[in-house]
Amino acid sequence: MAAAFADPAAFTVTLLGLFLLFPLGLGVYWLFNKQARLRDIAELRIRMAQLAPNDPEYGSVRALYTSMVIDAERTRFFHAGVS
């Protein structure tokens, strides 16, 4: 095993491969995280539509929805405005 890393070319390719796995992992995480956040925002939007303003949960659902949308817009999560 150690002899495989003795060759400078093998070591360079191995190191480059490990460094390239990091951005690939971040890209996959970003994609799945984006889909999950969009799904959560849509669920909260539906929940807000079901609740009346005088319901006890309305304020907390609205606050959570608003904070998620503001955070998503602040990090340029949306390409267009939220409908």
Side-chain angles (χ1 to χ4, degrees), residues 5-65:
F5 293 112
D7 184 21
F11 180 73
T12 304
V13 168
T14 303
L15 197 60
L16 183 65
L18 289 175
F19 280 133
L20 291 178
L21 281 176
F22 183 69
L24 179 67
L26 281 178
V28 170
Y29 170 76
W30 178 82
L31 180 65
F32 284 114
N33 186 37
K34 180 177 181 177
Q35 291 173 352
R37 286 177 67 183
L38 287 174
R39 184 181 62 241
D40 292 343
I41 290 173
E43 288 174 6
L44 281 174
R45 188 181 308 133
I46 291 169
R47 181 74 176 140
M48 263 183 44
Q50 293 172 347
L51 294 174
N54 57 358
D55 284 336
E57 292 180 359
Y58 182 79
S60 60
V61 171
R62 182 176 179 206
L64 181 60
Y65 173 77

